[in-house]
Amino acid sequence: MSQIKEDLLEVVQTVMIPEVEAYIDDLHEIIEKGEQTDDNMEEVKEMEDFLVELQNIVQAIDENKMDDKQAEEVYAKIEKLLEESEENIEE
């Protein structure tokens, strides 16, 4: 497996998926308390869809259905998301 695929697999499995799952859990807690808004309900759907996309990335790498160029593109997008998330936290 190429280095970019290993890097992508690591960031998806150790950072992205756990963070998305934790966020979904937080949203479900809000819903269970009856404090949800329409935005929360939409966020749950979007985050669950995003989780499926992340799982598909892992599967594509595991099954060697993603080439290095695709892996680089996805990795760059994830890096950008992480940077934006970090900037939002700092604000």
Side-chain angles (χ1 to χ4, degrees):
M1 182 182 305
S2 66
Q3 186 63 47
I4 187 64
K5 287 181 186 176
E6 287 179 16
D7 292 346
L8 177 58
L9 194 59
E10 181 178 345
V11 75
V12 168
Q13 290 180 320
T14 63
V15 178
M16 298 302 294
I17 288 177
E19 284 189 17
V20 169
E21 288 175 334
Y23 188 61
I24 290 170
D25 288 345
D26 291 345
L27 290 170
H28 282 289
E29 286 179 23
I30 291 169
I31 293 167
E32 287 172 13
K33 292 178 184 176
E35 300 171 356
Q36 77 274 8
T37 64
D38 288 342
D39 287 342
N40 294 135
M41 301 303 289
E42 184 62 30
E43 278 182 276
V44 169
K45 176 159 180 16
E46 289 174 7
M47 295 309 292
E48 288 174 343
D49 289 345
F50 186 47
L51 181 59
V52 169
E53 288 179 36
L54 293 170
Q55 292 166 337
N56 287 339
I57 290 168
V58 171
Q59 183 177 1
I61 293 170
D62 286 344
E63 295 176 0
N64 202 28
K65 293 182 177 178
M66 180 181 292
D67 62 33
D68 288 351
K69 186 176 185 332
Q70 291 170 312
E72 287 175 20
E73 291 171 1
V74 173
Y75 189 81
K77 288 178 184 178
I78 288 175
E79 278 188 322
K80 185 177 178 186
L81 279 174
L82 291 172
E83 287 172 12
E84 290 172 358
S85 176
E86 196 172 293
E87 288 171 7
N88 288 337
I89 291 171
E90 291 173 359
E91 291 177 359

